[in-house]
Amino acid sequence: MMECRLVLFILILFETIVSCDSKQREVGNGCDVWVDSVSGLLRSGDICMRRGTGIASHVVVHCGGKSEDFSHCGIVVKEADGNIYVCHAVPDEGESPDDSDRVRLVPISDFYGKGKAVRGAVFRVACSDSIAGAAALAAKEKWRLNVAFDHAYKWDDTTRLYCTQLVAMAYMRYGVDLVETRCRSLNVPGFCGDYVFPSDIVRSRLVEMMAEY
């Protein structure tokens, strides 16, 4: 059985490496137009989803199964001056070695930037503006504290965070449970344990898609 899992994992990586360059070429200026059009609809606390172009993104999609349309998520932080940012826990996207592998706060245009997403969507949580805004500030606080990315993906460890954990726990702090019992057990090389995928948030009855591309 272990040999079968190892072969499957190798096939996934092979498919990923072969397809990465072509996927990146598919990303064009259409994404920038979409970001501009959707920005005016957003409030703090909205959830941004994307399907990335890198190896890790492809592994997440494959491990998540057919329902996994997205590989990464973050939470909207809308500042008083109107600028819109996305707070997300992410590896390997820092501008310098010291800035990578941790919670980051980036302009929404950067979150959906060229070469980073082949698909994107924005979701709204069924709660008041005040709760959504408080959840966004809770996530932003993790950025201010420079919380590291959790490469072990341990749900019960909040000293380090991964993307779905950051979003879900920001809302959980204010009594909004976006995950409930949706959690998947995996046992493949590199992933052995219980994990919460982006689709586990998307499937929440409290979440509704606002826009996608």
Side-chain angles (χ1 to χ4, degrees):
M1 181 63 70
M2 179 58 71
E3 289 81 0
C4 291
R5 294 193 185 104
L6 182 58
V7 170
L8 174 61
F9 190 69
I10 291 171
L11 288 174
I12 289 172
L13 287 181
F14 178 76
E15 176 187 343
T16 298
I17 292 169
V18 169
S19 64
C20 268
D21 288 342
S22 62
K23 286 291 186 182
Q24 288 178 354
R25 286 194 293 269
E26 291 175 11
V27 182
N29 293 330
C31 175
D32 297 333
V33 174
W34 179 80
V35 168
D36 289 341
S37 66
V38 78
S39 292
L41 305 175
L42 298 178
R43 72 174 184 181
S44 281
D46 285 340
I47 300 172
C48 292
M49 294 275 176
R50 76 184 186 199
R51 182 167 182 164
T53 60
I55 290 177
S57 298
H58 285 267
V59 170
V60 169
V61 169
H62 280 280
C63 288
K66 294 182 179 179
S67 64
E68 203 61 47
D69 292 326
F70 304 103
S71 60
H72 187 59
C73 63
I75 188 167
V76 170
V77 177
K78 193 170 185 178
E79 301 288 13
D81 60 7
N83 288 324
I84 298 174
Y85 298 87
V86 179
C87 188
H88 63 136
V90 62
D92 302 327
E93 281 193 8
E95 295 177 358
S96 67
D98 293 336
D99 192 33
S100 61
D101 295 358
R102 57 191 63 255
V103 176
R104 303 191 69 221
L105 186 70
V106 301
I108 188 171
S109 57
D110 183 79
F111 183 83
Y112 290 113
K114 187 175 181 180
K116 293 181 180 177
V118 294
R119 184 182 178 192
V122 178
F123 295 81
R124 177 152 296 174
V125 179
C127 65
S128 66
D129 290 350
S130 60
I131 289 178
L137 290 178
K140 185 179 178 181
E141 177 69 5
K142 300 300 183 183
W143 164 73
R144 191 186 68 80
L145 294 173
N146 212 28
V147 172
F149 182 83
D150 185 6
H151 288 279
Y153 298 92
K154 293 182 178 179
W155 184 257
D156 294 330
D157 179 9
T158 58
T159 61
R160 297 171 179 265
L161 298 169
Y162 63 97
C163 68
T164 50
Q165 188 183 24
L166 172 68
V167 173
M169 290 190 172
Y171 269 101
M172 181 65 76
R173 182 173 176 178
Y174 296 96
V176 180
D177 189 351
L178 299 179
V179 176
E180 297 174 328
T181 59
R182 290 181 299 279
C183 188
R184 275 168 280 180
S185 296
L186 295 180
N187 189 11
V188 297
F191 292 91
C192 185
D194 296 329
Y195 304 94
V196 175
F197 285 79
S199 62
D200 295 321
I201 291 178
V202 171
R203 285 158 46 208
S204 171
R205 59 185 175 80
L206 299 175
V207 169
E208 180 179 2
M209 182 185 288
M210 297 174 57
E212 66 176 328
Y213 75 90

